[in-house]
Amino acid sequence: MGLLEIRDKINTVDDQLLKLFLERMELSREIAEEKIKQNLPILNTKREREVLSRISANSGDMDGYARILFSTLFELSRSYQGSCMGTTKSKLAEKIYAALDETPKLFPAKAVVACQGIEGANSQQACDRMFSFADIMYFKNFEGVFNAVEKGLCEYGVLPIENSAHGSVNDVYDLMQGHSFNIVRSIKQHITHNLLVLPGTKLSDIKEVISHPQAIGQCSSFIAKIGAKSTYVENTAVAAEMLAGMGRRDVAAISSEECAAMYGLEILKGNIQNTDNNYTRFIAISKKLEIYPGSSKISLMFTTTDTPGSLSRIMSRFSSIGVNLSKIESRPMSGSDFKYVFYTDLDASVYSEEVIKLLSEMERELKFFVFLGSYQEIV
């Protein structure tokens, strides 16, 4: 047979498969009606295991592929049953609808905002882009920012979450597990790193470079080139402030142009980052869920069952409604051995009923599921 003839046969098989799929989903609806009558849960692990065992025994060399196919069918069937049983009206859905009704139409220009570090820090610069008139309260570490928002000391907090060159800010991701908050906005900030020194210092004088671990990592090639050792401090602005108070010409700080002027330092070398395409993504968090017009990103935090393909099946459900998964990050779960929490960013809107339905299903089915927010990202 030629290629076109084979494709014609595939089209015929696909038509048959579609007919059978629709018939199977109709039977799922009937199952849902019976479960309502008998007050039974949607998930029946024993039944699914029995079906997979039967499929495996009859699929020969296609065993692995057949298991994937039927596992996906189970996911779709449970989703449809949930819809038929009316279980998609979750507390999360109610919370989202309430936020859509109650959130002001404009993002606030003025607010009390928590930032990590001191004046001149990248978080402060990101904050100034998000809020026109921010009353900033500075905290020594990221946990201080989470606590300030959670306890109502500040209306919002600004935190770095990932860098285009050096990856995720793991400390922030790890702290997410232990705090209650909502993401209300994000921003991509272009980061330029400079080597700051006391006036009169030469490049050959420098034996040590101080800065935040992310900045050190983003400038690793330059640091290796000059043969200096690296020392971590809380923040790039803190590094500049420390250097100004040291009075040492064998130490340099990686920081911003603003900090050079602020602390009376000299820019010995500018643009020392490994790449000019160096962006850090910051998020603004709040205690209350706020969803502003134009929100087109959703962030989630969840765990999956410890079974093969469990994460893949969840991902397939995003794909089935045309939602793009723009980021996925895993971090060890606090207080557990070898269990992981997944953080995902979706290019999706809560104005979509399909998206609300899927989020409600995930909340119902997963043991640990947190909706982190729906927001707009500023580039």
Side-chain angles (χ1 to χ4, degrees):
M1 289 188 294
L3 185 61
L4 292 177
E5 190 176 353
I6 296 172
R7 284 175 175 166
D8 284 340
K9 287 183 176 291
I10 287 176
N11 287 340
T12 300
V13 172
D14 285 347
D15 290 341
Q16 294 170 351
L17 285 173
L18 177 59
K19 182 179 178 181
L20 290 171
F21 171 73
L22 295 175
E23 184 178 339
R24 192 185 195 286
M25 294 300 276
E26 174 59 24
L27 291 171
S28 291
R29 185 189 62 76
E30 294 179 17
I31 288 285
E33 291 176 353
E34 289 300 315
K35 286 181 177 178
I36 291 173
K37 292 177 184 177
Q38 300 179 44
N39 194 30
L40 295 174
I42 291 175
L43 178 62
N44 187 334
T45 305
K46 182 175 180 293
R47 166 64 178 164
E48 291 186 3
R49 191 181 299 113
E50 289 172 351
V51 174
L52 285 177
S53 179
R54 176 170 55 83
I55 295 300
S56 181
N58 293 286
S59 53
D61 293 340
M62 293 288 115
D63 178 23
Y65 297 104
R67 279 179 167 273
I68 293 172
L69 172 62
F70 278 85
S71 293
T72 303
L73 282 173
F74 293 157
E75 289 284 340
L76 296 172
S77 178
R78 285 198 299 270
S79 174
Y80 185 47
Q81 286 182 42
S83 175
C84 294
M85 294 169 73
T87 57
T88 56
K89 293 182 179 179
S90 66
K91 290 182 179 179
L92 173 60
E94 293 174 1
K95 185 178 177 182
I96 290 173
Y97 289 133
L100 289 172
D101 288 338
E102 297 168 8
T103 303
K105 300 304 179 186
L106 295 176
F107 193 76
K110 297 177 65 175
V112 179
V113 185
C115 288
Q116 186 266 345
I118 59 175
E119 191 74 19
N122 288 319
S123 291
Q124 173 247 306
Q125 294 176 41
C127 176
D128 286 344
R129 285 187 62 199
M130 291 188 191
F131 302 91
S132 301
F133 308 101
D135 182 6
I136 301 177
M137 294 183 66
Y138 291 102
F139 294 85
K140 187 175 181 180
N141 52 43
F142 296 136
E143 185 160 26
V145 175
F146 278 107
N147 285 333
V149 172
E150 198 169 28
K151 295 175 180 178
L153 183 62
C154 295
E155 298 167 88
Y156 300 95
V158 172
L159 294 157
I161 195 168
E162 64 178 319
N163 177 263
S164 58
H166 200 61
S168 298
V169 183
N170 291 331
D171 289 348
V172 173
Y173 275 108
D174 290 341
L175 286 166
M176 285 182 179
Q177 296 181 41
H179 292 277
S180 176
F181 67 96
N182 298 278
I183 302 175
V184 296
R185 182 146 291 193
S186 70
I187 191 168
K188 288 183 178 178
Q189 179 92 351
H190 186 257
I191 304 295
T192 300
H193 290 303
N194 304 280
L195 191 71
L196 308 189
V197 296
L198 294 176
T201 302
K202 298 177 182 178
L203 193 60
S204 57
D205 296 333
I206 299 169
K207 300 294 184 288
E208 181 181 2
V209 175
I210 60 174
S211 197
H212 186 271
Q214 277 277 338
I216 294 287
Q218 292 163 30
C219 302
S220 58
S221 296
F222 178 82
I223 295 171
K225 184 178 178 180
I226 65 174
K229 80 167 187 173
S230 301
T231 299
Y232 295 160
V233 298
E234 297 96 331
N235 188 281
T236 55
V238 168
E241 183 186 48
M242 287 177 61
L243 177 60
M246 283 180 179
R248 292 173 55 182
R249 285 186 167 78
D250 62 332
V251 179
I254 295 176
S255 193
S256 65
E257 184 177 348
E258 290 81 359
C259 283
M262 194 176 299
Y263 297 106
L265 300 173
E266 184 178 282
I267 299 177
L268 186 60
K269 186 76 174 177
N271 295 314
I272 63 170
Q273 62 273 6
N274 295 344
T275 173
D276 285 336
N277 187 34
N278 190 41
Y279 289 85
T280 295
R281 183 171 169 234
F282 292 84
I283 55 172
I285 63 171
S286 68
K287 183 176 182 179
K288 182 181 177 182
L289 178 61
E290 299 173 354
I291 304 176
Y292 291 90
S295 296
S296 58
K297 290 188 81 72
I298 293 172
S299 290
L300 309 172
M301 178 168 60
F302 60 88
T303 59
T304 64
T305 56
D306 193 17
T307 55
S310 57
L311 179 60
S312 174
R313 289 192 291 273
I314 290 174
M315 299 301 100
S316 69
R317 290 167 74 171
F318 293 136
S319 177
S320 70
I321 62 170
V323 169
N324 178 50
L325 185 70
S326 57
K327 178 182 173 67
I328 182 165
E329 177 85 14
S330 67
R331 294 295 300 161
M333 189 171 190
S334 300
S336 66
D337 295 328
F338 304 108
K339 291 186 180 295
Y340 292 85
V341 176
F342 293 98
Y343 303 85
T344 61
D345 291 340
L346 313 175
D347 293 331
S349 170
V350 291
Y351 292 98
S352 164
E353 289 296 327
E354 280 190 315
V355 170
I356 293 285
K357 176 183 169 184
L358 177 55
L359 295 177
S360 298
E361 290 168 1
M362 292 179 70
E363 182 190 39
R364 184 185 66 245
E365 295 172 15
L366 300 176
K367 288 186 178 179
F368 177 75
F369 175 82
V370 180
F371 176 79
L372 294 176
S374 175
Y375 53 94
Q376 181 181 10
E377 182 162 276
I378 302 170
V379 180

